[in-house]
Amino acid sequence: MRDSAKTGDVLVQVKDLKMYFPINTGLFRRHTGDVKAVDGISFDILAGETLGLVGESGCGKSTVGRALLRLYELTAGSVTIDGEDIATLDAEALRTKRPTMQMVFQDPQASLNPRMTVAAIIAEPLDEHTRLTAKEKLARVYELMDAVGLNRAFANRYPHAFSGGQRQRIGIARALALNPKFIVCDEPIAALDVSIQAQVVNLLEDLQEKLGLTYLFISHDLSMVRHIADRVAVMYLGRIAELSPRDDLYAEPLHPYAKALLSAVPEPDPSLENKRERIILQGDVPSPSNPPKGCNFCTRCPEAFPLCHEVKPDLHQVRPGRFVACHLFPADNQTQSAGHTGAVKSVEAKEHNQQGER
C-alpha cells in the first residue's frame, strides 16, 4: 500500500454525477424523456484503495465506470481525478490526462483487436502517448507481459490463440502500459471460468501492492468483491443505496436493498446456510426513464412508510464511515463528505489485518 493511502489522500472525487440518455421518438425524433442511468451520486476513492461497486444488472454500475473516465460526456456533476476535474477538460487536455486513468473491460475477446498481435495491442497506448523507439517499446511490452504472467514467446500471437484468462491478462497489461494511477475494472472476471476468476483477482491485488494502484472494481459477484474491496458501494436504479467499509457491510447491511442483495450470497458452511433467511423482493425494478417519486426503492422495499414515497433520501452518514440513503436511519451529527471517513477507516483496518497475517 502506498504511503498516500495511509494519510488518506483522495485520488478520485465524484460529486452529484448524473448520466442521462435522451429518449427520442416519432418521425421527427422528438425528445420525450431521459433514461436516468446515473442519477446524482457522490463518493471518494482514496489513493491505493479498492472501492467495490455492486448491484443488479441495469443499475448503472458500468455507466459510472465509463463516466469516471469520460468515455461518456457527463450530463451533470464533477469527477476530479488527481486534482483535475475531467468534466471541464478540453480534448487536448483530456488526451494528456488519459495515461493516469485506464480501464479493464468485461469481455476480453471483444475488447482486443483480433487483427493485432499481443505485442501490438499492449504497445498501442505507447504509440499514442509516448515517443519511445521500437526497441524501447518492445522492452516495455516484455516487461508488462512478465508483470501479468504471460510468456514473452507469445508476443507475436493473436488474441484468438489465448484462453479467456490469458486474454484478460493482455487487457490488464495494456491498461498498465502508461503507468496509470487509477484503473476502472468493469466486471473483469464476469466472462471468465470460475477456476480462472480467482487468479485474475489475485493478479490485480498483487499489481496494486507493487504499483500503488487505485481501483474502482465493478462486479455483480458479491463474494469476489468481499475478497478484493476495501469499501463497497451498493447501487440501485442509478443511485447509491449504501456505502460502507467491506467488513461492516457484509456483517451488518443497513439499507433494505443491501440486506436483500447480501442475503442471496451463498454461504459455504451448510449449517449456516440452512439457518440463513433469504429476502425475496416483490415486484420488478422500475424503469430508469420513470423512477418512482421519493426513494427509488420504495416500490419494492418491505420496510417502506409514507415518507419514502414522497421524499428522496440523500446519502448521509449514519455511523462512523457508513453512509446510507434511507429514511429509516437518522444522520450522524458528525457527518463528513460522502465516503471519505469510511475510506480512511477501511484502509487502516486492511493494513492492520495485513500486519496480523504477517
Side-chain angles (χ1 to χ4, degrees), residues 26-298:
L27 180 63
F28 297 103
R29 311 301 296 166
R30 291 184 300 172
H31 179 222
T32 57
D34 295 290
V35 174
K36 298 178 180 180
V38 180
D39 194 17
I41 66 172
S42 302
F43 59 87
D44 295 342
I45 308 177
L46 295 186
E49 81 159 337
T50 298
L51 177 66
L53 186 60
V54 302
E56 58 195 303
S57 297
C59 70
K61 306 186 299 295
S62 293
T63 304
V64 171
R66 285 166 168 75
L68 259 58
L69 302 187
R70 218 177 110 178
L71 299 181
Y72 295 139
E73 290 299 323
L74 310 186
T75 302
S78 66
V79 177
T80 303
I81 298 179
D82 200 22
E84 286 188 281
D85 184 359
I86 66 166
T88 63
L89 300 180
D90 59 27
E92 184 57 32
L94 182 60
R95 185 179 185 277
T96 303
K97 186 72 175 176
R98 286 283 178 212
T100 66
M101 51 185 190
Q102 294 293 310
M103 190 167 198
V104 177
F105 295 91
Q106 175 177 348
D107 186 354
Q109 185 169 355
S111 63
L112 302 179
N113 190 330
R115 295 180 177 86
M116 294 174 67
T117 65
V118 170
I121 290 170
I122 297 175
E124 190 173 16
L126 302 174
D127 296 335
E128 291 293 325
H129 292 276
T130 72
R131 296 182 178 180
L132 298 178
T133 65
K135 185 177 180 179
E136 290 171 333
K137 287 178 187 175
L138 184 58
R140 178 59 175 158
V141 167
Y142 284 155
E143 181 185 354
L144 291 164
M145 292 182 72
D146 291 341
V148 300
L150 288 172
N151 192 322
R152 293 185 178 189
F154 299 162
N156 291 321
R157 296 188 181 182
Y158 292 85
H160 68 81
F162 295 88
S163 67
Q166 289 174 320
R167 283 195 289 260
Q168 194 60 287
R169 289 172 186 266
I170 297 169
I172 294 170
R174 178 178 60 185
L176 294 174
L178 298 172
N179 296 312
K181 295 181 178 181
F182 175 54
I183 297 180
V184 174
C185 302
D186 184 14
E187 305 234 25
I189 60 174
L192 306 180
D193 293 338
V194 175
S195 60
I196 305 299
Q197 291 179 354
Q199 296 179 21
V200 173
V201 169
N202 288 337
L203 171 63
L204 290 170
E205 287 190 309
D206 291 343
L207 292 169
Q208 182 178 44
E209 184 174 352
K210 292 176 183 177
L211 304 175
L213 299 170
T214 302
Y215 294 143
L216 175 67
F217 190 87
I218 301 169
S219 181
H220 62 269
D221 187 335
L222 295 169
S223 299
M224 200 60 75
V225 169
R226 185 174 190 174
H227 176 74
I228 193 173
D230 298 296
R231 292 181 301 140
V232 181
V234 180
M235 280 193 72
Y236 180 81
L237 203 64
R239 294 179 61 84
I240 292 179
E242 182 168 349
L243 174 59
S244 296
R246 174 198 59 198
D247 292 340
D248 291 346
L249 178 71
Y250 282 83
E252 185 189 6
L254 301 179
H255 194 281
Y257 176 67
K259 291 179 182 178
L261 200 63
L262 290 171
S263 76
V265 178
E267 173 58 57
D269 187 337
S271 61
L272 296 176
E273 177 68 21
N274 292 334
K275 297 177 183 178
R276 199 164 56 111
E277 180 181 355
R278 287 287 305 276
I279 300 175
I280 308 298
L281 298 176
Q282 303 299 316
D284 298 323
V285 180
S287 169
S289 62
N290 186 28
K293 181 182 178 182
C295 175
N296 58 2
F297 186 58
C298 66

